Amino acid sequence: MGVRGLVTFIEKHPRIYRDVRFRMSRLVIDGANLLHLLYFDSGVYLIKTGVYLIKTGVYLLNTGLDQNHGGEYAAFEELIERFITTLRNCGVSPFVVLDGGSDYTDKKLDTVTQRAVDRIEKAHRAAWDDSEQNILPQLAKLMFTQTLARLEVPMAQCYAEADQEIAALANEWRCPVLSNDSDFYIFDLPAGFLPTSHFQWKAVEQSGSQSYIPCKNYNTRSFCILINIEHELLPTFAALAGNDYVKLQKMERPIRWTQFCPASDGIPSRLEGLLCWLRDFHQPEKALEAALGLMGELGTKRKKEVLQSLYLGMEEYKLPSSTLMRFFVDGVAPPFPTFEGVKGLIPDWTRLPLTQARLTSDILDVLLLQRNDLSIPVDHGDMASINLTSRPLRQVMYGLLLGKRRQLVNERDRDGLQLKVIPVQPAVRGVARQLTLESLDQAESSQRLQVLLDALGVTEASLSRLPPQLRLPVAVTCYWLQRAQPRPDQRLLKALLLGLSNGDALRQRAASQIQNKCYKQKLDVSVVHAFNQWQGCLKDSVYLNQLLGRPLEEPQIARLYEGTLVHDLVHQMRTGRKLKHFLKSDRSSVRQYSAMMAVINQFHCQEASTSHNQKTVTPPRRQPLEDLTANLQQLFLLCEDEMEVSSTVSVQEDLHLEDLLSVKTRYRAKKRNNRSKNPEVARKEERRGDVVLW
């Protein structure tokens, strides 16, 4: 929600806060707020062993993570780990609560629309002059939830906006809330509210043997005493001030609250004037009636509409019983809301994965509103939306969700610098026709996998020699190479695969890249656009994979992609620098690079053959591997081996890595070349266990 201007007003009255030493407590955390805080506002330091946070005497590098090159996910993971470790060292038990889908009544649609319009302008400005506009990278939220899950931090995703659920949980547990959302200055919380702007988790102090976090605590009682208004009038104050649901400033005759400010030398404040005016009232109803009188002549119908809007705004600050407490204690997901028209639209089996954040909340907007608000990353406004590339993947997801309902989904996306609504037809074809949403969780794993593979245009056999964590990213890369516009060149592909092949070492290498500021060359918007398309394809593929019950292993984003790194690799290749140093002494990464390139080359070989033999753009249904004849198996193994050997040679030539190969490795490469000429010998060697990837 958010009360416009309230945080600024509170900061001008520091006596409202109370200094505390926070430790040994539960803490309910506003997940969306923490995500933005850590990515945009945390000072970051880099030393040889990784990424660290503000410490006295350590050199300050910057005040946040890179925003324009597609995400510094490895460094972001380090920040999250540091934050959680700091809390636990102080005896604090964090409980993170995340926003879910849009409100079913759409009462916040105007606010959401305006924010999307603003984000389009900011994203274009960031791409135009490489400025920081606080545009969150596309995979940041996914990486955030993955990291919290790995750290075993209790986490819940709401079905709609989280503010009221956060406040209700903190009220029942009698513990504070950590956020910077101005609405928490209005909720009556027994243990108060800890603004993240005053939560000094990077400057932990000691008291005896106990560690604590210096911070400030806000309590509504202290606010009302200092300002001298009735405590019951706080929700009325928020509604009249204007929040995400109430827009009194758009009235035909908006109230000039500054006229009620006391005479002083300072600039009159709208909120101060409103608070001064409210001092004369003791009941919300009387205050609302008087406020209507200040709006001038209103017709009966208009007056009723305004009054209803104000009461609706006040209702948002009432604290219901927590629906999440049982989930955190017993692991039981809350029931779905019972609004009229909602019943039966959302299968019961989705409740638990949605609450666990193992299923994207986007599906709720599709099911309830037939709408999907798409991400708007940093990108030049003259270029087409990056979401066009991954639309066929979303169409498959829409088909699974809506089934026989045959409804279009309105995608809200960028068209130039305008926010447009594009009706999109769900796609139901192939194996997906045999599945229904109500029983999707019970479908055969082979069926669910085939739906995903068909959407990406790859086969299970082509991915079989890759490690499980790389199968989905490589399948996405094949899809991206086929559909991205303009078509990615070889430098982009090589840079991407080098990043994918680097695994855990990506964290240290990313730290080194940032520390040396190698990525600070001028932002190349064409490279940004290409990698944005890849990230969009990966995100939508991960969401489709989640809906299908994860038939492929979900990749860990922090160990998969580092935007600043791949941009720098493209720059190095374009300026003629050798990349030998990047994989030096890391033979496993070279093997992975080779294996991925082999799969991609094989994919291109198959696609070229299909295009040559058929004029239709729809790929033929692929025959399962177990049904192939012995001759087809032999042909497949021959093609696969030839591609792998070709790829191995290509790696050495392209990256100048031949000096990394030992005599034994070169012998094996030669041996595999001989195997490719005699598949029967190759199969005998495989049975003996002699075959290796490199």
Side-chain angles (χ1 to χ4, degrees):
M1 293 184 284
V3 179
R4 189 167 57 94
L6 183 54
V7 173
T8 302
F9 177 81
I10 296 286
E11 292 300 318
K12 292 180 180 178
H13 298 79
R15 287 191 298 154
I16 293 174
Y17 293 123
R18 178 171 60 92
D19 290 327
V20 297
R21 297 178 173 184
F22 189 62
R23 63 186 179 191
M24 306 301 293
S25 172
R26 285 174 171 164
L27 179 64
V28 181
I29 300 175
D30 180 347
N33 194 265
L34 179 64
L35 168 62
H36 287 78
L37 167 77
L38 293 180
Y39 201 91
F40 294 134
D41 299 329
S42 292
V44 178
Y45 298 89
L46 298 167
I47 59 177
K48 291 182 179 179
T49 55
V51 183
Y52 290 87
L53 303 177
I54 294 176
K55 288 284 184 181
T56 303
V58 182
Y59 172 68
L60 174 63
L61 179 66
N62 59 13
T63 58
L65 299 173
D66 179 81
Q67 302 171 17
N68 298 346
H69 293 77
E72 284 185 50
Y73 299 120
F76 186 35
E77 183 185 48
E78 288 278 358
L79 281 169
I80 299 168
E81 290 179 353
R82 284 272 164 187
F83 180 82
I84 297 302
T85 298
T86 298
L87 294 183
R88 288 172 170 167
N89 287 344
C90 296
V92 176
S93 300
F95 294 83
V96 178
V97 182
L98 298 158
D99 289 320
S102 302
D103 188 280
Y104 178 64
T105 64
D106 248 356
K107 57 192 175 185
K108 196 179 172 181
L109 181 60
D110 288 345
T111 299
V112 173
T113 298
Q114 186 56 52
R115 288 177 182 171
V117 170
D118 294 342
R119 191 159 54 246
I120 290 172
E121 295 176 355
K122 290 180 180 179
H124 171 71
R125 196 178 310 130
W128 176 260
D129 59 12
D130 199 9
S131 59
E132 293 187 350
Q133 299 293 332
N134 284 1
I135 303 295
L136 202 65
Q138 293 183 79
L139 301 175
K141 182 180 178 181
L142 177 60
M143 202 231 79
F144 181 67
T145 56
Q146 285 181 344
T147 304
L148 292 179
R150 181 176 58 79
L151 297 174
E152 299 182 343
V153 176
M155 169 180 55
Q157 179 176 249
C158 298
Y159 299 139
E161 191 170 76
D163 288 2
Q164 204 169 37
E165 292 289 350
I166 291 170
L169 182 63
N171 180 53
E172 295 201 19
W173 276 347
R174 305 187 74 80
C175 71
V177 166
L178 179 68
S179 177
N180 244 13
D181 192 316
S182 57
D183 282 310
F184 291 106
Y185 288 106
I186 307 299
F187 285 113
D188 187 17
L189 303 174
F193 162 53
L194 308 179
T196 52
S197 54
H198 296 286
F199 195 71
Q200 301 178 55
W201 66 276
K202 296 164 286 191
V204 172
E205 297 182 11
Q206 293 283 129
S207 178
S209 60
Q210 295 289 327
S211 299
Y212 66 87
I213 300 171
C215 58
K216 294 184 182 294
N217 181 282
Y218 166 90
N219 187 281
T220 55
R221 306 285 170 173
S222 300
F223 176 84
C224 291
I225 290 172
L226 184 66
I227 301 300
N228 191 25
I229 68 166
E230 295 292 333
H231 187 266
E232 292 76 12
L233 291 174
L234 266 186
T236 309
F237 160 68
L240 290 172
N243 57 27
D244 288 347
Y245 300 108
V246 184
K247 306 292 184 185
L248 292 185
Q249 65 270 26
K250 294 185 178 180
M251 292 286 296
E252 297 85 351
R253 183 182 166 185
I255 304 172
R256 290 179 54 253
W257 294 115
T258 54
Q259 64 183 303
F260 301 105
C261 287
S264 65
D265 296 332
I267 300 174
S269 164
R270 178 180 64 91
L271 295 185
E272 185 178 1
L274 171 57
L275 289 168
C276 290
W277 180 80
L278 281 171
R279 288 171 184 166
D280 295 333
F281 300 93
H282 299 280
Q283 296 177 347
E285 295 79 10
K286 296 293 184 181
L288 293 180
E289 289 177 11
L292 287 175
L294 295 174
M295 296 177 192
E297 294 295 329
L298 295 175
T300 303
K301 182 180 179 181
R302 181 59 173 152
K303 186 178 292 186
K304 184 177 180 180
E305 290 175 350
V306 173
L307 197 60
Q308 184 179 6
S309 177
L310 289 169
Y311 275 115
L312 183 64
M314 292 169 58
E315 282 289 320
E316 296 300 319
Y317 300 104
K318 288 187 176 180
L319 294 179
S321 298
S322 173
T323 63
L324 291 180
M325 187 167 66
R326 191 178 176 201
F327 169 73
F328 281 124
V329 174
D330 300 323
V332 178
F336 285 117
T338 55
F339 297 122
E340 184 179 352
V342 171
K343 188 175 181 181
L345 294 180
I346 307 173
D348 192 64
W349 68 264
T350 63
R351 289 191 301 125
L352 187 58
L354 275 169
T355 308
Q356 294 172 329
R358 289 174 52 82
L359 191 57
T360 174
S361 62
D362 288 354
I363 72 166
L364 296 174
D365 284 0
V366 175
L367 288 170
L368 301 180
L369 301 170
Q370 291 77 58
R371 188 176 73 220
N372 194 4
D373 291 294
L374 304 183
S375 60
I376 302 170
V378 171
D379 205 10
H380 198 285
D382 289 344
M383 294 182 170
S385 167
I386 62 103
N387 296 307
L388 295 175
T389 307
S390 55
R391 178 176 290 167
L393 300 174
R394 294 192 300 278
Q395 288 178 283
V396 174
M397 185 169 74
Y398 300 155
L400 291 170
L401 291 171
L402 299 176
K404 297 180 181 179
R405 288 163 62 179
R406 307 296 185 192
Q407 293 168 297
L408 298 176
V409 176
N410 289 323
E411 292 191 338
R412 286 154 52 94
D413 194 12
R414 176 181 72 81
D415 183 3
L417 293 177
Q418 304 296 317
L419 179 67
K420 292 292 181 67
V421 177
I422 303 102
V424 175
Q425 180 72 49
V428 182
R429 55 177 177 265
V431 179
R433 292 195 184 98
Q434 305 170 25
L435 306 178
T436 62
L437 181 62
E438 290 71 21
S439 60
L440 186 57
D441 61 319
Q442 301 171 19
E444 293 290 336
S445 59
S446 59
Q447 288 182 304
R448 291 184 277 111
L449 174 61
Q450 195 59 49
V451 171
L452 180 62
L453 295 176
D454 286 347
L456 291 168
V458 297
T459 64
E460 183 177 5
S462 65
L463 303 176
S464 61
R465 291 198 174 186
L466 293 171
Q469 72 274 13
L470 286 179
R471 290 174 185 174
L472 184 57
V474 171
V476 167
T477 303
C478 291
Y479 175 94
W480 170 71
L481 287 170
Q482 186 181 26
R483 292 186 177 270
Q485 292 296 330
R487 295 291 290 268
D489 62 29
Q490 282 295 307
R491 294 187 184 95
L492 295 174
L493 173 61
K494 292 173 186 177
L496 180 62
L497 294 187
L498 282 171
L500 294 180
S501 65
N502 229 23
D504 289 333
L506 197 65
R507 294 154 66 104
Q508 286 73 29
R509 297 194 183 279
S512 175
Q513 294 290 334
I514 301 166
Q515 189 176 33
N516 295 325
K517 299 187 178 182
C518 294
Y519 63 90
K520 283 301 181 182
Q521 69 273 0
K522 184 179 179 181
L523 189 69
D524 188 323
V525 293
S526 64
V527 178
V528 170
H529 185 72
F531 287 137
N532 277 344
Q533 290 181 84
W534 184 85
Q535 285 202 65
C537 293
L538 180 65
K539 185 181 71 171
D540 287 332
S541 297
V542 168
Y543 288 167
L544 178 59
N545 189 48
Q546 290 178 350
L547 181 61
L548 291 165
R550 290 177 168 79
L552 289 181
E553 182 176 313
E554 184 169 299
Q556 293 297 305
I557 304 301
R559 291 165 176 76
L560 185 73
Y561 182 85
E562 190 73 10
T564 53
L565 186 62
V566 294
H567 276 257
D568 183 60
L569 291 173
V570 172
H571 175 71
Q572 289 189 49
M573 281 187 279
R574 286 180 173 177
T575 54
R577 295 179 61 186
K578 295 182 179 180
L579 300 180
K580 178 171 58 177
H581 67 283
F582 185 74
L583 292 175
K584 192 172 183 179
S585 303
D586 191 359
R587 193 168 296 154
S588 64
S589 292
V590 177
R591 293 191 188 104
Q592 284 193 355
Y593 179 96
S594 174
M596 289 188 292
M597 189 63 81
V599 170
I600 291 169
N601 286 338
Q602 179 183 319
F603 171 79
H604 278 303
C605 177
Q606 292 172 344
E607 289 299 319
S609 176
T610 301
S611 300
H612 179 72
N613 294 321
Q614 292 187 335
K615 294 183 179 180
T616 177
V617 295
T618 304
R621 184 176 178 181
R622 293 179 174 85
Q623 192 176 2
L625 183 61
E626 58 270 18
D627 293 338
L628 292 174
T629 63
N631 288 337
L632 287 177
Q633 290 181 21
Q634 182 172 340
L635 288 173
F636 173 78
L637 289 170
L638 177 61
C639 179
E640 186 176 41
D641 280 347
E642 287 177 343
M643 286 298 175
E644 186 173 343
V645 172
S646 174
S647 178
T648 299
V649 174
S650 177
V651 172
Q652 298 173 41
E653 292 176 348
D654 292 346
L655 303 182
H656 305 277
L657 294 171
E658 58 274 3
D659 58 326
L660 296 182
L661 300 177
S662 64
V663 173
K664 183 177 180 181
T665 304
R666 283 197 288 269
Y667 168 76
R668 287 180 173 175
K670 181 179 179 181
K671 185 178 180 181
R672 294 190 63 79
N673 189 33
N674 292 333
R675 287 176 59 248
S676 68
K677 299 176 183 177
N678 194 334
E680 186 62 35
V681 173
R683 285 195 297 276
K684 290 180 181 179
E685 290 177 345
E686 286 176 353
R687 288 194 291 270
R688 293 199 307 266
D690 293 339
V691 177
V692 292
L693 276 176
W694 183 264

